[in-house]
Amino acid sequence: MAKRPAGVTLIAVLTWISAALHILLGILVLRGILSADGVSDLSAWIAIGVGIVIFCVSVGLFSGSNIARILVTLSLSASIVAAVVLVADDPAGPIAGPIISAATAVIGIILLYTGRAGDFFRS
């Protein structure tokens, strides 16, 4: 097996950041700490669930598992959808968190399929 490139480690870190943002924002909304009129508890629970899934499947990235790469891609895609739902649920509310989360997810997907990271998962 090829040596794990630094880009794969970076992807895992970005994935964990995305997961943490989802979980944190969901908790803040549920606890009422983040005032987001119109954001439902369901949206907050979805954000937390997506964050947990992203975190769990990202662990497989370190082993070079192509299945893990596919699962992380799907999870990051779900993260983007969750961010869109959060913003659509309350467009006048705070949107920095969902935007940062979605941008992190997009960067993660791009890095999973470019350069040495792609070679690492094919070996």
Side-chain angles (χ1 to χ4, degrees), residues 78-110:
S79 173
I80 295 166
V81 171
V84 170
V85 168
L86 286 170
V87 171
D89 198 26
D90 184 17
I95 61 170
I99 288 174
I100 292 169
S101 179
T104 303
V106 168
I107 292 168
I109 291 171
I110 290 169

Side-chain angles (χ1 to χ4, degrees), residues 30-82:
L30 288 174
R31 302 246 352 195
I33 296 169
L34 181 62
S35 176
D37 294 333
V39 175
S40 67
D41 285 353
L42 177 60
S43 295
W45 282 112
I46 289 171
I48 292 169
V50 167
I52 291 169
V53 169
I54 291 170
F55 179 79
C56 291
V57 297
S58 70
V59 173
L61 290 175
F62 287 108
S63 67
S65 167
N66 196 47
I67 293 171
R69 178 170 72 157
I70 292 166
L71 291 174
V72 169
T73 301
L74 292 172
S75 297
L76 290 172
S77 298
S79 173
I80 295 166
V81 171

